[in-house]
């Protein structure tokens, strides 16, 4: 409530003294919501707890022992998921609200602990051997199932991130990732395919009303991944820059139209920025080619 507005109206004689006093009393008695502040603190608490446990384990691994560490992480993971199973609401393809302020954070803690447990197990005991794709596929499946079963956007983000890791390891040769070269066409087209898959999943969720509130999360990951991979293709394949640029412009045109229809200013800005980067690169390449041609003529 803007008290200054009421004061201006009172000064112009449009409202009475009693109305102004009621507005000031209502403003003075208004309660201040700490909802988002408390959520932020709880999320930071989960992240600090997992980070602190990692530092504690790293500094005392010789005295604690690997088995004890794994047992503790497994206990935390099982305890968190057991609590969530006990407190969960009835499953529905619509949005589900759980009347428990700690549910989301405990589920997030359990999911992070699961990733730490499997990663630690692979690093220390090499359970999956050289099959790193399986090491990322198993937690990916568990995280996707947990995200849908418990209706949690944070766990869905972890699952999508794990999907990207699995696709990068399983589809792209491991030697390429170890060498740190990301100019290979397989990695670029993998990113494009994965981005398109995420956008299709978001569209399907919205059209079929299958957790339709997950659609913005799918779209966010899909748009960024699709355009970043396309820009990588534009930067890598100079001889086909016109084709890459045309594809990016077509995707940007379609994406902006959908974003405007859905009144999503965020996606309009993001897609426009990616298209602008592509345009700048093409202009620079054209100017460079023109300069090279002039130098050759001289």
């Amino acid at each position: 409530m803007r008290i200054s507005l009421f004061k201006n109206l009172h000064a112009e004689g449009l409202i009475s003294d009693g109305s102004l006093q009621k507005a000031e009393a209502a403003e003075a008695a208004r309660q201040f919501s700490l909802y988002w502040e408390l959520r932020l603190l709880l999320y930071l608490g989960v992240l600090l707890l997992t980070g602190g446990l990692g530092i504690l384990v790293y500094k005392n691994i010789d005295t604690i022992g690997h088995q004890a560490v794994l047992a503790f992480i497994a206990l935390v993971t099982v305890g968190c998921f057991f609590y969530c199973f006990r407190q969960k609401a009835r499953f529905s393809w619509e949005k589900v609200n759980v009347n428990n302020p700690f549910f989301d954070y405990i589920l997030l803690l359990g999911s992070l602990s699961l990733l730490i447990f499997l990663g630690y197990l692979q690093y220390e005991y090499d359970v999956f051997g050289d099959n790193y794709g399986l090491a990322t596929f198993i937690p990916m499946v568990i995280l996707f199932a947990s995200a849908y079963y418990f209706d949690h956007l944070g766990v869905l983000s972890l699952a999508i991130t794990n999907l990207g890791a699995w696709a990068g390891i399983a589809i792209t040769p491991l030697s390429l990732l170890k060498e740190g070269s990301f100019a290979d066409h397989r990695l670029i087209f993998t990113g494009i395919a994965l981005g398109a898959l995420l956008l299709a999943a978001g569209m399907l969720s919205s059209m079929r009303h299958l957790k339709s509130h997950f659609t913005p999360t799918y779209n966010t990951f899909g748009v960024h991944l699709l355009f970043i991979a396309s820009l990588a293709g534009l930067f890598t394949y100079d001889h086909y820059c016109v084709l890459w640029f045309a594809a990016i412009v077509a995707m940007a045109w379609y994406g902006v139209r959908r974003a405007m229809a859905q009144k999503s200013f965020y996606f309009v800005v993001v897609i426009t920025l990616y298209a602008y980067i592509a345009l700048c690169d093409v202009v620079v390449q054209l100017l460079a080619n023109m300069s090279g041609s002039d130098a050759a003529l001289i």
Side-chain angles (χ1 to χ4, degrees):
M1 183 184 297
R2 297 178 58 185
I3 296 300
S4 60
L5 176 61
F6 286 91
K7 290 182 178 180
N8 292 333
L9 294 174
H10 178 264
E12 295 175 2
L14 298 177
I15 61 174
S16 63
D17 296 339
S19 298
L20 177 61
Q21 291 175 359
K22 290 180 180 179
E24 291 177 341
E27 176 65 19
R30 188 180 65 166
Q31 295 181 347
F32 178 74
S33 176
L34 295 175
Y35 176 77
W36 292 108
E37 288 79 0
L38 291 175
R39 284 182 67 92
L40 178 61
L41 289 176
L42 287 171
Y43 276 121
L44 288 176
V46 171
L47 294 176
L48 290 174
L49 176 60
T50 53
L53 289 175
I55 295 173
L56 178 65
V57 169
Y58 176 77
K59 290 187 175 181
N60 300 276
I61 189 64
D62 294 332
T63 57
I64 297 177
H66 298 293
Q67 292 81 4
V69 172
L70 283 171
F72 175 74
I73 298 174
L75 183 63
V76 172
T77 303
V78 172
C80 290
F81 276 99
F82 178 76
Y83 176 86
C84 292
F85 272 108
R86 293 290 301 271
Q87 299 294 325
K88 73 175 182 66
R90 186 177 179 180
F91 176 79
S92 173
W93 287 111
E94 302 296 329
K95 187 175 182 179
V96 178
N97 294 316
V98 180
N99 296 323
N100 188 324
F102 303 104
F103 180 86
D104 290 344
Y105 312 100
I106 293 178
L107 179 60
L108 183 61
L109 176 61
S111 300
L112 291 172
S113 300
L114 174 66
L115 294 175
I116 294 171
F117 176 78
L118 292 176
Y120 194 174
L121 198 66
Q122 170 64 15
Y123 175 78
E124 187 60 34
Y125 295 101
D126 202 19
V127 175
F128 301 101
D130 292 333
N131 193 356
Y132 295 100
L134 184 61
T136 53
F137 180 80
I138 292 176
M140 178 191 71
V141 173
I142 297 175
L143 290 174
F144 268 115
S146 300
Y148 276 88
Y149 187 73
F150 295 112
D151 198 343
H152 198 287
L153 288 174
V155 178
L156 178 65
S157 299
L158 290 176
I160 294 174
T161 305
N162 222 81
L163 173 62
W166 172 78
I169 292 174
I171 299 176
T172 304
L174 185 60
S175 59
L176 177 65
L177 296 177
K178 288 182 178 179
E179 293 171 0
S181 174
F182 298 96
D184 188 271
H185 68 278
R186 285 165 292 192
L187 187 59
I188 293 174
F189 287 107
T190 297
I192 293 174
L194 185 57
L197 176 64
L198 292 174
L199 290 175
M203 187 179 297
L204 181 64
S205 297
S206 179
M207 293 176 58
R208 299 293 184 181
H209 300 287
L210 304 174
K211 299 290 185 183
S212 56
H213 55 288
F214 283 3
T215 300
T217 303
Y218 279 117
N219 289 342
T220 299
F221 280 93
V223 164
H224 286 293
L225 189 56
L226 181 63
F227 277 95
I228 289 174
S230 299
L231 287 175
L234 177 65
F235 300 154
T236 303
Y237 303 106
D238 298 336
H239 299 293
Y240 302 99
C241 65
V242 176
L243 295 178
W244 282 101
F245 179 69
I248 292 173
V249 169
M251 291 187 299
W253 176 79
Y254 178 76
V256 169
R257 284 194 59 185
R258 284 189 57 86
M260 292 181 66
Q262 297 173 359
K263 298 180 180 180
S264 176
F265 180 72
Y266 168 76
F267 284 109
V268 172
V269 172
V270 167
I271 295 172
T272 303
L273 286 175
Y274 281 126
Y276 177 73
I277 294 172
L279 176 62
C280 291
D281 180 76
V282 171
V283 170
V284 169
Q285 289 191 40
L286 290 176
L287 292 176
N289 291 334
M290 290 174 61
S291 299
S293 299
D294 295 339
L297 291 175
I298 295 174

